[in-house]
């Protein structure tokens, strides 16, 4: 069947990816960014970049040194040139290398020439913006070198803003300029400089603190992209600073108003200006880690459902107070209203406010970073009160929708502060935070204690392992090794509560030691009938239960909707459900969607290879998959790589079975049935309607061996040897090899068969057990996206189960 076609505009399909300076700090970092974009970006996506590493800081240092020590300024500029040239030399080949070096030298000469004169604010801004220019120019060239066509776009060509303390981009003036630029690059990645705009006089305007993140979200909103992803050295928003709180956990989702409250409280991961374009558009915002793209993420969601309490503990160690003392003869209530109007007009949001009516005193808390600017603005407003600056304070806050109405969290917050020098406490007007201002102190221990006090009711997750054969046994040892790290990473308790085989069940809600399962199962387990093992789980005491199906059981696949109905999540290496008839497959999907439970099954195709996720990402990015092909069976890959004619095929098959490289019954592999299931699963992930019976299959199992028992088949497997030996000899005479290949073309024709391929063919040169998946799509039509690696074996399959488990636990919140 044809892939379903949907008409969507290029703008709706586009996404935007922003990379900060730490993501571009070295040649290795640049290569990592290219790897990230290869997997997660489409051919027409936008990319916004900051200056590499500490480049902007060095440019600022150069400007400061010009009037103090010309020799030192010259050395700083040459150090910058050396750093940027080293990036080019290590990353770029051919003519492009010299072109970039020449452009760099021209820029350095321009900076030096500007430095010889009297610098205006516009000159200084122009000099500081060169770091972004160098990053964008280099990354665009590097992407093109990796067969990802890309062009550089200077943001000053399309963003308009006037100079101010916090410049705001003029959307009306910028929108037509940007869209005119992008219309020229409908199918090319565009790498855009962050941090900069241009005013009406044609001068560079810097967008200030977090300017690159702000320019990313404003560009995304103006271009109408579906999602902006900010890639940095952290995976997103945590329940506390993970550098100081060991059990801080990543939050997969936070509400937009909670994110804005965090930004108001000066949390470093977010800034209020970054969020403004998101709040005013349909663009989604996601935070991810460049160094570990699959370690999780935080998505900022617009949902304003009722909150139940604190999610995050945050702190700031350098806080100042502005104290207003109103004369006794003046109307204090009128002054409060006047101050509120002034703060609104000046767009100033204090961290916390303390009203002391009996003393005619008001205190506003601000970060030390902005206090000078804030104080100057307030003094200019001419308020009728004595103004005093008080320094040397810290802030601790609990953030989350509903926190002020959560008695447990309020009590825990106040109890943790009893022994500390609190200046005042306040609740935000929005009800999204509790804030305490303290006389200056190191807040790390306080934050850790408060985090434990408020979140100590750790979420508990129970695991049920169904199947304890080769894969199940290997997963048990893997889980035993990684249990502590898994719990620490997510801040949740994870316990194995049941192990089930085809006849017996070991159930213990107190938890089962995974290292004792094999030795203790016979003594601890009890027999069950039909689906009795499932009903025994229904009175579990856990927040969530995850079932791990590592069987090949069709009858278990029929129980999947009931697992969802009972509130269980599912991770599956069992292919039966994913390749079931369409009616059953869709019923399973609907059951999980309806109950809000998760079903992950990356291990069903390619063992540990992330093929399912790659297909999902392409679909969700707006691409359209046209064809799939490759070697989908690690078992058959291993067999035909080993099959040289020296050892009979049946002997190799016995070895593979003994090593756990085959399905429990090797005929599932040899008949092509296992490959068919994988092809159907991938086709459905790609949006294609494919049924197993539509696939043309070549079975390698002689008809006489099909109905035998497993032992009978293995005893008589030598009946396959003569036919396969003849095909091998013919292939070798033609300088060819035998490979079992799956193909699904653009017309919906699907087949799996043993093919004779020339020895020069890409599928001829593999490592034993390798799977190869080639994806042709709208974006990867001329040069298919290829994923290759081990596709069989208990280790990689158990690893895929553990990977899905880590991913699923990260989604539970």
């Amino acid at each position: 069947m044809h892939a379903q076609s949907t008409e969507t505009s290029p703008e709706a399909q586009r996404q935007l990816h922003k990379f900060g300076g730490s993501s571009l700090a070295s040649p290795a970092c640049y290569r990592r960014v290219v790897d990230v974009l290869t997997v997660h970006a489409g051919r027409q996506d936008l990319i916004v970049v900051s200056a590499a590493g500490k480049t902007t800081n060095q440019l600022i240092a150069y400007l400061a040194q010009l009037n103090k020590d010309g020799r030192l300024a010259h050395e700083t500029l040459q150090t910058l040139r050396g750093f940027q040239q080293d990036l080019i030399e290590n990353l770029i080949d051919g003519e492009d290398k010299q072109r970039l070096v020449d452009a760099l030298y021209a820029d350095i000469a321009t900076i030096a020439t500007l430095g010889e004169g009297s610098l205006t604010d516009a000159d200084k801004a122009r000099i500081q913006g060169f770091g972004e220019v160098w990053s964008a120019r280099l990354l665009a060239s590097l992407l093109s070198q990796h067969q990802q066509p890309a062009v550089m776009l200077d943001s000053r060509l399309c963003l308009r803003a006037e100079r101010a303390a916090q410049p705001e981009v003029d959307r009306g003036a910028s929108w037509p300029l940007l869209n005119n630029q992008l219309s020229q690059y409908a199918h090319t990645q565009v790498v855009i400089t962050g941090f900069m705009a241009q005013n009406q006089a044609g001068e560079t305007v810097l967008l200030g603190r977090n300017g690159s993140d702000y320019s990313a979200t404003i560009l995304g909103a103006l271009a109408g992209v579906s999602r902006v992803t900010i890639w940095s050295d952290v995976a997103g928003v945590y329940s506390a600073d993970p550098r100081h709180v060991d059990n801080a956990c990543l939050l997969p989702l936070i509400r937009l108003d909670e994110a804005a409250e965090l930004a108001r409280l000066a949390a470093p991961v977010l800034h209020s200006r970054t969020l403004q374009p998101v709040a005013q558009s349909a663009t989604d915002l996601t935070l991810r880690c460049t160094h570990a793209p699959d370690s999780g993420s935080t998505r900022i969601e617009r949902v304003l459902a009722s909150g139940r309490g604190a999610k995050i503990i945050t702190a700031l160690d350098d806080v100042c107070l502005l104290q207003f003392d109103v004369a006794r003869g003046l109307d204090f209530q009128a002054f409060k209203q006047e101050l509120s109007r002034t703060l609104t007009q000046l767009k100033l949001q204090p961290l916390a406010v303390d009203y002391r009516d009996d003393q005619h005193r008001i205190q506003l808390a601000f970060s030390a970073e902005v206090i000078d600017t804030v104080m100057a603005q307030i003094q200019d407003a001419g308020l009728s009160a004595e103004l005093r600056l008080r320094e040397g304070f810290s802030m601790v806050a609990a953030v989350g929708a509903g926190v002020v109405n959560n008695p447990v969290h309020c009590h825990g917050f106040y109890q943790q502060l009893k022994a500390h020098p609190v200046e005042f406490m306040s609740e935000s007007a929005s009800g999204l935070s509790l804030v305490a201002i303290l006389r200056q102190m190191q807040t790390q221990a306080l934050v850790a204690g408060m985090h434990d006090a408020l979140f100590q009711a750790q979420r508990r997750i129970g695991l049920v392992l169904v199947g304890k054969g080769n894969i199940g046994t290997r997963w048990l040892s893997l889980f035993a090794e990684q249990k502590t790290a898994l719990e620490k990473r997510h801040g949740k308790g994870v316990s194995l509560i049941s192990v089930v085989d085809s006849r017996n069940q070991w159930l213990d809600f107190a938890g089962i030691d995974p290292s004792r399962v094999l030795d203790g199962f016979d003594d601890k387990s009890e027999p069950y009938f039909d689906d009795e093992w499932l009903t025994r789980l229904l009175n579990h005491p856990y927040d969530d239960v995850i079932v791990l199906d590592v069987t090949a059981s069709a009858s278990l696949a029929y129980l999947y909707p009931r697992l969802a109905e009972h509130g269980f999540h599912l991770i599956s290496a069992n292919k039966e459900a994913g390749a079931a008839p369409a009616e059953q497959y869709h019923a399973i999907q609907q059951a999980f969607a309806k109950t809000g439970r998760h079903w992950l099954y990356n291990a069903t195709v390619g063992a540990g290879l992330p093929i399912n996720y790659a297909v999902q990402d392409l679909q969700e990015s707006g691409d359209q998959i046209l064809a799939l092909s490759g070697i989908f069976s690690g078992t058959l890959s291993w067999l035909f790589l080993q099959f040289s004619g020296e050892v009979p095929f049946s002997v190799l098959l016995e070895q593979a079975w003994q090593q756990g490289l085959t399905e429990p019954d090797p005929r599932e592999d040899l008949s092509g049935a296992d490959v068919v299931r994988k092809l159907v699963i991938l086709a459905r992930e790609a949006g294609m309607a494919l049924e197993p019976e539509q696939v043309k299959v070549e079975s390698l199992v002689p008809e006489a061996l099909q109905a035998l028992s497993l032992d009978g088949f293995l005893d008589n497997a030598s009946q396959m040897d003569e036919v396969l030996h003849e095909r091998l000899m013919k292939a070798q005479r033609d300088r060819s090899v035998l490979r079992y290949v799956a193909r699904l073309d653009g017309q919906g024709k699907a087949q799996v068969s043993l093919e004779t391929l020339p020895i020069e063919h890409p599928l001829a040169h593999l490592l034993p057990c390798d799977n190869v998946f080639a994806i042709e799509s709208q974006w990867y039509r001329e040069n298919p996206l290829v994923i290759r690696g081990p596709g069989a074996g208990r280790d990689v399959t158990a690893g895929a189960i553990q990977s899905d488990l880590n991913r699923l636990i990260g989604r539970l919140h």
Side-chain angles (χ1 to χ4, degrees):
M1 299 290 290
H2 290 284
Q4 295 177 354
S5 175
T6 56
E7 293 295 328
T8 53
S9 66
E11 291 81 4
Q13 296 177 13
R14 272 198 181 109
Q15 295 189 33
L16 185 147
H17 305 264
K18 189 268 172 178
F19 294 92
S22 62
S23 297
L24 302 167
S26 68
C29 290
Y30 269 88
R31 294 188 187 97
R32 190 180 297 120
V33 166
V34 171
D35 290 342
V36 167
L37 291 172
T38 299
V39 176
H40 298 283
R43 285 289 175 93
Q44 56 193 358
D45 281 4
L46 311 181
I47 301 153
V48 172
V49 292
S50 298
K54 302 296 184 183
T55 296
T56 301
N57 289 344
Q58 288 183 286
L59 288 168
I60 293 171
Y62 166 76
L63 291 171
Q65 292 160 359
L66 279 173
N67 295 325
K68 298 177 182 178
D69 189 335
R71 181 186 57 80
L72 187 58
H74 175 75
E75 289 177 359
T76 298
L77 192 57
Q78 293 311 305
T79 299
L80 256 176
R81 179 196 57 76
F83 171 67
Q84 294 292 335
Q85 185 168 350
D86 182 67
L87 290 174
I88 296 169
E89 298 281 357
N90 279 279
L91 292 169
I92 305 300
D93 300 323
E95 296 179 0
D96 273 358
K97 178 186 292 188
Q98 191 59 50
R99 178 180 62 82
L100 292 182
V101 170
D102 290 345
L104 172 65
Y105 274 63
D107 291 341
I108 295 294
T110 298
I111 294 171
T113 301
L114 288 170
E116 293 170 359
S118 178
L119 291 172
T120 65
D121 288 342
D123 292 331
K124 293 176 182 178
R126 182 184 175 191
I127 288 172
Q128 289 181 54
F130 271 104
E132 277 69 20
V133 172
W134 296 332
S135 292
R137 197 157 59 201
L138 177 56
L139 183 59
S141 180
L142 183 61
L143 285 167
S144 296
Q145 185 172 282
H146 283 77
Q147 286 73 53
Q148 297 185 62
V151 295
M152 174 208 169
L153 174 61
D154 191 319
S155 57
R156 289 169 291 193
L157 294 174
C158 52
L159 290 186
R160 294 292 174 263
E162 295 303 315
R163 207 175 307 284
Q166 292 285 348
E168 293 287 335
V169 170
D170 184 335
R171 294 185 177 215
S174 302
W175 184 83
L177 297 173
L178 175 64
N179 282 277
N180 180 55
Q181 291 287 336
L182 296 183
S183 66
Q184 304 172 45
Y185 308 114
H187 299 288
T188 304
Q189 291 180 339
V190 183
V191 185
I192 310 175
T193 57
F195 188 47
M196 296 185 294
Q198 184 175 289
N199 63 15
Q200 290 183 348
E203 300 167 335
T204 298
V205 173
L206 302 181
L207 296 177
R209 178 173 178 258
N210 287 89
S212 289
D213 285 356
Y214 170 53
S215 57
T217 53
I218 195 73
L219 283 164
L222 291 172
V225 303
S226 60
R227 178 185 302 158
V228 172
T229 301
I230 295 178
W231 297 86
S232 66
D233 53 2
V234 294
V237 179
Y238 285 78
S239 56
D241 189 335
R243 296 171 300 178
H244 307 310
V245 179
D246 289 341
N247 58 350
C249 60
L250 181 66
L251 303 178
L253 295 169
I254 65 169
R255 293 168 25 161
L256 183 58
D257 56 352
E258 293 170 331
E261 184 69 0
L262 266 182
R264 186 185 72 81
L265 295 171
V269 72
L270 289 166
H271 191 273
S272 56
R273 299 177 72 229
T274 303
L275 296 169
Q276 287 169 9
V278 178
Q280 298 164 4
S281 71
T283 301
D284 284 335
L285 177 61
T286 299
L287 311 178
R288 296 183 77 165
C289 180
T290 314
H291 306 288
D294 297 320
S295 63
S297 62
T298 297
R299 181 166 65 86
I300 313 298
E301 58 176 358
R302 288 181 182 75
V303 179
L304 292 180
S306 58
R308 294 182 292 179
K311 292 181 180 177
I312 304 142
I313 308 298
T314 188
L316 200 59
D317 284 337
D318 202 356
V319 172
C320 299
L321 300 182
L322 291 183
Q323 180 175 302
F324 299 84
D325 288 304
V326 181
R328 289 288 179 177
L330 297 178
D331 186 336
F332 185 63
Q333 297 304 319
F335 177 81
K336 286 168 66 174
Q337 294 173 3
E338 181 186 7
L339 177 60
S340 177
R341 285 194 299 271
T342 301
L343 294 174
T344 301
Q345 290 168 358
L346 296 174
K347 297 181 179 179
L348 297 177
Q349 289 189 306
L351 302 170
V353 180
D354 178 39
Y355 295 110
R356 299 187 182 182
D357 291 26
D358 59 333
Q359 300 177 34
H360 274 221
R361 175 174 291 171
I362 300 173
Q363 296 187 101
L364 306 180
F366 291 93
S367 69
E369 183 181 10
V370 301
I371 193 63
D372 290 341
T373 302
V374 169
M375 192 167 182
Q377 289 178 287
I378 289 179
Q379 286 175 327
D380 289 344
L383 295 169
S384 53
E386 179 186 343
L387 178 60
R388 175 188 170 198
L389 173 63
R390 300 180 65 196
E391 299 177 289
F393 294 89
S394 300
M395 179 203 75
V396 175
V399 180
V403 62
V404 299
N405 297 316
N406 185 315
V408 174
H409 286 178
C410 288
H411 177 74
F413 185 79
Y414 296 131
Q415 285 293 112
Q416 288 296 310
L417 292 165
K418 281 171 57 177
H420 295 282
V422 177
E423 180 72 14
F424 68 86
M425 287 187 263
S426 72
E427 298 177 358
S428 66
S430 63
L432 290 164
S433 65
L434 299 170
V435 183
I437 303 297
L438 308 96
R439 286 181 283 284
Q440 197 160 40
M441 57 176 286
Q442 288 293 321
T443 57
Q444 294 177 10
L446 175 58
V447 168
M450 190 170 287
H451 186 273
D452 287 344
L454 270 62
F455 306 141
Q456 64 183 352
Q458 189 182 53
R459 196 174 189 89
R460 299 171 66 223
I461 298 170
L463 305 181
V464 178
L465 175 66
V466 185
K468 60 179 185 64
N470 284 325
I471 298 170
T473 299
R474 182 65 188 97
W475 176 81
L476 285 167
S477 62
L478 192 62
F479 177 62
E481 295 168 9
Q482 298 190 2
K483 181 178 185 295
T484 301
L486 189 70
E487 293 177 322
K488 182 178 178 180
R489 183 181 307 126
H490 296 288
K492 301 178 178 74
V494 185
S495 300
L496 179 66
I497 60 172
S498 184
V499 180
V500 184
D501 69 8
S502 59
R503 297 183 181 85
N504 298 289
Q505 178 186 29
W506 182 357
L507 177 66
D508 187 346
F509 289 140
I512 300 170
D513 182 347
S515 64
R516 295 186 55 245
V517 169
L518 298 183
D519 293 334
F521 187 83
D522 290 342
D523 293 334
K524 299 287 187 177
S525 63
E526 297 180 359
Y528 66 86
F529 177 74
D530 199 20
D531 58 358
E532 188 181 7
W533 66 271
L534 177 56
T535 57
R536 291 173 182 170
L537 293 167
L538 298 184
N539 63 340
H540 70 84
Y542 287 80
D543 296 295
D544 289 283
V545 167
I546 301 172
V547 176
L548 313 177
D549 177 9
V550 296
T551 72
S553 168
S555 61
L556 181 54
Y558 274 102
L559 287 179
Y560 281 9
R562 285 187 56 194
L563 295 178
E565 290 163 7
H566 290 314
F568 298 158
H569 305 281
L570 175 65
I571 292 171
S572 179
N574 184 347
K575 305 174 189 67
E576 292 290 341
E583 185 177 356
Q584 181 187 350
Y585 170 72
H586 292 304
I588 296 170
Q589 283 193 318
Q590 290 167 9
F592 280 92
K594 182 179 179 180
T595 57
R597 303 296 94 182
H598 298 285
W599 175 30
L600 303 187
Y601 45 88
N602 188 62
T604 57
V605 182
L609 298 176
I611 177 63
N612 287 20
Y613 294 125
V615 171
Q616 289 172 12
D617 282 345
L618 288 177
Q619 286 291 98
E620 293 170 3
S621 300
D623 197 0
Q624 182 179 353
I625 294 173
L626 305 174
L628 299 163
S629 63
I631 293 178
F632 290 11
S633 170
T635 304
L636 296 176
S637 172
W638 186 90
L639 284 169
F640 284 105
L641 276 163
Q642 303 296 328
F643 187 38
S644 64
E646 298 177 5
V647 178
F649 186 85
S650 59
V651 174
L652 294 174
L653 178 64
E654 176 75 19
Q655 292 175 11
W657 184 71
Q658 294 288 351
Q659 294 174 34
L661 298 178
T662 72
E663 292 293 309
D665 187 334
R667 284 171 291 188
E668 291 292 305
D669 299 296
L670 297 169
S671 67
D674 188 57
V675 177
V676 169
R677 294 188 192 103
K678 293 176 181 178
L679 185 59
V680 170
I681 291 169
L682 280 187
R684 287 171 172 172
E685 289 293 297
M688 303 178 185
L690 182 66
E691 293 292 311
E693 58 269 19
Q694 293 175 289
V695 183
K696 185 178 179 180
V697 186
E698 178 185 1
S699 174
L700 304 181
V701 182
E703 187 175 346
L705 303 184
Q706 292 176 5
L708 299 179
S709 66
L710 174 59
D711 289 339
F713 165 72
L714 292 173
D715 289 341
N716 293 277
S718 58
Q719 292 184 29
M720 298 184 293
D721 291 342
E722 184 178 349
V723 172
L724 290 175
H725 185 78
E726 287 179 4
R727 291 187 68 170
L728 176 65
M729 291 301 102
K730 184 179 184 304
Q732 289 178 346
R733 286 193 299 272
D734 296 336
R735 297 185 69 255
S736 299
V737 296
L738 297 179
R739 297 290 183 264
Y740 199 83
V741 181
R743 298 185 187 276
L744 174 63
D745 66 19
Q747 286 69 48
K749 294 181 180 179
Q751 69 174 36
V752 297
S753 61
L754 188 62
E755 297 186 11
T756 302
L757 302 176
I759 59 173
E760 298 84 10
H761 194 281
L763 297 181
H765 301 283
L766 304 175
L767 295 174
C769 288
D770 264 6
N771 272 186
V772 180
F773 299 93
I775 303 171
E776 296 177 46
S777 70
Q778 294 280 17
W779 298 342
Y780 294 94
R781 183 174 295 182
E782 303 300 327
N783 187 16
L785 175 64
V786 176
I787 296 177
R788 170 182 168 178
R794 64 194 79 182
D795 289 342
V796 289
T797 307
I801 293 290
Q802 187 69 9
S803 173
D804 270 357
L805 178 61
N806 179 66
R807 188 182 296 259
L808 199 160
I809 292 175
R811 295 182 182 180
L812 303 179
H813 59 95

